């Protein structure tokens, strides 16, 4: 980061001395005001619940321009990566800073491929869950449990350990997610196969059975691979910030990623794709397209707390570029499967059109986000709604681990420890119970 010639001066309306704060410039995007010395100089904290105006770190991985609706992974536009690359190339990009050449790609693919099996004992963890456990409960547990099996890659301060843990997590997430799915069905697990691509392997582990193998459909495999690319990283979102804060204590990478999985589960974050599909299903039950107006009225009613799931974003105040790509993928998959008349897809497009012309949404700059269409695509691929967020976690694992690695590799990093505005009781003495 480059010091700006411009400084920020903080002055106070009483006679407190003003404070000069340095400003730094990134390569693109907003400058930052460095407030690290503010408390020492003024005895005051800044106050920013939800971190609407706070840059928590200096990163080189992902850039988002919310007004333009732009998303870059290491400088490459998501629109180009989603069309010209596959997920493992994007993993290499996020982890190592650039797209691999042919030889690097081959080495990386072989490395990941040969880490896709999980320890046989992981199956015993599975048996502890109810068959109807939500897959995110299972995945949160299994990812944390990985730390119990890989003591040779848990020293987060050892760069080689971090790299091995990254390879293991990227490779094993598809296996674990497919295991969670099969466990819920009561079907036997399907082992990974080294002769398949990453995404074909995942689809086979999900849909093959010992009685019948899975016929690879390149359009569907390409669709899930693109879903992985679109979800791979997204700057300092809630779950990535969770991974950074958790990892800043020096805990092992598996524990930090498990914390990210837990955070992503929430309906305001990664759980929105499941919630968006359920919302479309509810509108369908209400009567479909004719009932969109009634539903939107409920959303606008302040006390209803009903949100248009899959719409709105803390950063994007324009169309989420991932939503456009997801809508195209939706179209491709539904056409391939002869479902172009899928009522939910038609309903989703009608709802999107109406919302984008409605002042309530226009005034609040609410546009479809990545979660709006992803549920429809995944449902068409045969993936149950309860597994959508686990798929999101599978894809985001590479972003989480790249961000964790960047933080730990920064010699300046410290354990994250925010402060607070205290509004509770001032000091008081305990009264013995007989006198309370
Ligand atoms: C993801 O951060 C990331 O990068 C996340 C993510 C990633 O890749 O990691 O992009 C993935 O989490 C995408 C977002 C998925 N969530 C949803 O689709 C859930 C529905 N969306 C909302 O919950 C909401 O839009 C958030 C949580 C996404 C953003 O909320 P903010 O930035 O805190 O904005 P806000 O809640 O203050 O909303 C501003 C106004 C409010 O109205 P007023 O109080 O000003 O009258 O817009 C309204 C909100 O009520 N609003 C919505 C709405 N989203 C915001 N009203 C109806 N439907 C919505 N979806």
């Amino acid at each position: 980061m480059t010091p700006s010639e411009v400084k920020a001066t903080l002055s106070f309306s009483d006679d407190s001395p003003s404070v000069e704060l340095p400003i730094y410039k990134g390569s693109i995007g907003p400058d930052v005001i460095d407030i690290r010395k503010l408390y020492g100089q003024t005895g005051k904290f800044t106050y920013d619940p939800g971190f609407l105006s706070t840059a928590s770190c200096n990163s080189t991985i992902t850039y988002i321009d919310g007004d333009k609706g732009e998303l870059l992974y290491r400088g490459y536009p998501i629109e180009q990566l989603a069309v010209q690359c596959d997920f493992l190339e994007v993993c290499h990009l996020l982890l190592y800073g650039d797209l691999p050449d042919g030889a690097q790609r081959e080495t990386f693919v072989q490395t990941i491929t040969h880490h896709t099996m999980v320890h046989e004992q992981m199956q015993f963890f599975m048996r502890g869950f109810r068959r109807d456990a939500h897959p995110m409960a299972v995945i949160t547990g299994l990812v944390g449990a990985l730390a119990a099996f890989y003591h040779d890659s848990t020293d987060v301060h050892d760069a080689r350990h971090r790299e091995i843990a990254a390879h293991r997590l990227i490779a094993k997430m598809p296996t674990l997610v497919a295991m969670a799915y099969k466990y819920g069905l009561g079907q036997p697990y399907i082992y990974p196969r080294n002769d398949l691509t990453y995404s074909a392997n995942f689809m086979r582990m999900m849909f093959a059975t010992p009685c019948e193998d899975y016929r690879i459909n390149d359009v569907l495999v390409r669709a899930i691979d693109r879903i992985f690319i679109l979800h791979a990283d997204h700057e300092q979102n809630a779950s990535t910030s969770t991974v950074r804060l958790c990892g800043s204590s020096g805990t092992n990478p598996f524990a930090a990623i498990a914390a990210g999985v837990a955070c992503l589960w929430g309906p305001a974050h990664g759980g929105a794709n499941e919630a968006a599909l359920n919302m479309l299903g509810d509108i369908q039950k209400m009567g479909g397209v004719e009932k969109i107006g009634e539903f939107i009225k409920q959303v606008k009613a302040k006390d209803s707390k009903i949100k248009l799931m899959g719409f709105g974003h803390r950063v994007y105040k324009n169309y989420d570029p991932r939503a456009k790509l997801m809508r195209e993928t939706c179209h491709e998959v539904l056409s391939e499967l002869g479902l172009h008349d899928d009522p939910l897809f038609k309903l989703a497009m009608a709802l999107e059109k109406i919302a984008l012309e409605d002042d309530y949404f226009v005034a609040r700059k609410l546009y479809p986000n990545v979660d709006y269409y992803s549920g429809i695509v995944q449902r068409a691929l045969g993936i149950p709604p309860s597994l959508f967020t686990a798929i999101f976690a599978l894809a985001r694992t590479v972003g989480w681990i790249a961000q964790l690695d960047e933080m730990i590799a920064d010699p300046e990093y410290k354990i994250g420890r925010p402060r607070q505005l205290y509004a509770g009781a001032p000091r008081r003495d305990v009264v013995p119970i007989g006198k309370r």
Side-chain angles (χ1 to χ4, degrees):
M1 59 189 185
T2 316
S4 163
E5 306 81 60
V6 178
K7 302 269 184 271
T9 303
L10 182 60
S11 57
F12 298 90
S13 55
D14 61 11
D15 57 4
S16 307
S18 64
V19 174
E20 195 173 82
L21 298 167
I23 292 178
Y24 294 106
K25 289 183 166 308
S27 44
I28 42 178
D31 296 350
V32 296
I33 299 171
D34 184 346
I35 57 165
R36 283 174 288 186
K37 295 195 170 65
L38 183 76
Y39 178 57
Q41 291 171 340
T42 68
K44 292 180 174 60
F45 299 136
T46 58
Y47 184 64
D48 187 15
F51 310 115
L52 289 114
S53 300
T54 294
S56 62
C57 62
N58 167 9
S59 179
T60 62
I61 299 174
T62 293
Y63 175 73
I64 306 170
D65 183 319
D67 295 328
K68 284 180 12 191
E70 182 178 49
L71 169 57
L72 310 176
Y73 290 166
R74 301 281 192 186
Y76 294 104
I78 192 68
E79 295 82 356
Q80 294 180 28
L81 293 170
V83 171
Q84 298 179 46
C85 301
D86 68 19
F87 179 62
L88 284 189
E89 284 178 86
V90 170
C91 286
H92 186 284
L93 172 66
L94 289 169
L95 283 179
Y96 298 110
D98 220 324
L99 288 167
D101 61 24
Q104 289 165 331
R105 186 187 185 287
E106 186 50 32
T107 305
F108 187 69
V109 168
Q110 284 307 311
T111 302
I112 298 299
T113 300
H114 290 87
H115 275 299
T116 46
M117 278 208 293
V118 295
H119 196 292
E120 276 296 281
Q121 303 250 139
M122 287 299 266
Q123 297 187 24
F124 299 143
F125 282 109
M126 293 298 290
R127 287 195 201 129
F129 292 106
R130 286 172 38 152
R131 290 282 180 175
D132 62 351
H134 192 289
M136 284 301 279
V138 175
I139 294 299
T140 305
L142 292 183
V143 172
L146 285 173
F149 292 94
Y150 300 112
H151 294 120
D152 63 342
S153 64
T154 54
D155 175 2
V156 76
H157 295 291
D158 179 328
R160 183 58 186 141
H161 279 210
R162 293 202 303 272
E163 185 180 33
I164 296 170
H167 294 162
R168 281 176 164 149
L169 280 157
I170 293 166
K172 296 179 195 307
M173 279 301 273
T175 310
L176 294 176
V177 170
M179 283 173 74
Y181 175 57
K182 288 300 198 186
Y183 184 74
L185 290 178
Q187 287 185 1
Y189 308 122
I190 299 297
Y191 284 88
R193 278 223 331 239
N194 293 352
D195 60 334
L196 297 177
T197 64
Y198 185 89
S199 294
N201 197 25
F202 173 66
M203 293 293 272
R204 181 178 172 277
M205 289 191 286
M206 282 282 293
F207 300 116
T209 69
C211 324
E212 188 178 332
D213 212 338
Y214 172 71
R215 192 174 57 78
I216 305 286
N217 176 319
D218 291 338
V219 173
L220 306 189
V221 167
R222 181 68 190 130
I224 197 73
D225 195 79
R226 182 176 291 180
I227 287 171
F228 293 161
I229 291 172
L230 295 179
H231 287 85
D233 194 49
H234 212 241
E235 203 216 60
Q236 304 312 317
N237 59 84
S239 53
T240 297
S241 300
T242 300
V243 169
R244 279 181 173 257
L245 192 56
C246 181
S248 72
S249 71
T251 189
N252 69 80
F254 304 104
I257 300 304
V261 174
C263 175
L264 187 75
W265 191 357
H269 189 14
N273 48 22
E274 180 179 357
L277 192 77
N278 293 339
M279 171 192 74
L280 290 168
D282 293 344
I283 300 171
Q284 194 70 358
K285 282 186 209 124
M286 280 165 63
V289 176
E290 298 73 47
K291 292 293 180 183
I292 287 177
E294 187 183 318
F295 175 76
I296 286 191
K297 219 178 274 157
Q298 292 173 24
V299 170
K300 291 179 186 176
K302 260 297 149 216
D303 53 358
S304 77
K305 299 269 179 267
I306 295 174
K307 291 211 185 281
L308 185 48
M309 299 312 280
F311 257 70
H313 199 276
R314 171 61 56 75
V315 177
Y316 289 123
K317 301 309 173 193
N318 197 325
Y319 213 103
D320 183 334
R322 302 168 297 175
K324 277 185 196 140
L325 290 158
M326 197 65 84
R327 191 178 54 198
E328 282 165 27
T329 305
C330 210
H331 204 74
E332 285 164 19
V333 167
L334 293 173
S335 306
E336 171 69 15
L337 297 173
L339 300 172
H340 26 266
D341 289 335
D342 179 81
L344 276 196
F345 185 48
K346 284 176 173 290
L347 176 62
M349 290 197 290
L351 175 56
E352 173 191 348
K353 186 172 181 318
I354 292 167
L356 293 181
E357 291 160 3
D358 184 298
D359 287 346
Y360 177 92
F361 298 92
V362 173
R364 291 167 177 77
K365 298 187 176 181
L366 301 175
Y367 291 86
N369 59 50
V370 67
D371 294 304
Y372 187 62
Y373 286 104
S374 74
I376 303 172
V377 190
Q378 293 183 73
R379 172 178 157 272
L381 292 174
I383 295 164
S386 63
L387 208 73
F388 291 171
T389 310
I391 301 253
F392 193 153
L394 184 169
R396 185 54 56 90
T397 291
V398 62
W400 288 330
I401 201 82
Q403 299 267 355
L404 175 65
D405 183 57
E406 179 179 67
M407 176 186 75
I408 300 291
D410 175 355
E412 275 191 12
Y413 105 87
K414 294 177 181 307
I415 186 168
R417 207 294 185 201
R419 301 301 303 274
Q420 64 179 9
L421 173 68
Y422 179 67
R427 185 185 177 83
R428 56 182 171 162
D429 296 327
V430 172
V431 175
I433 191 159
K435 294 186 178 163
R436 281 181 213 154

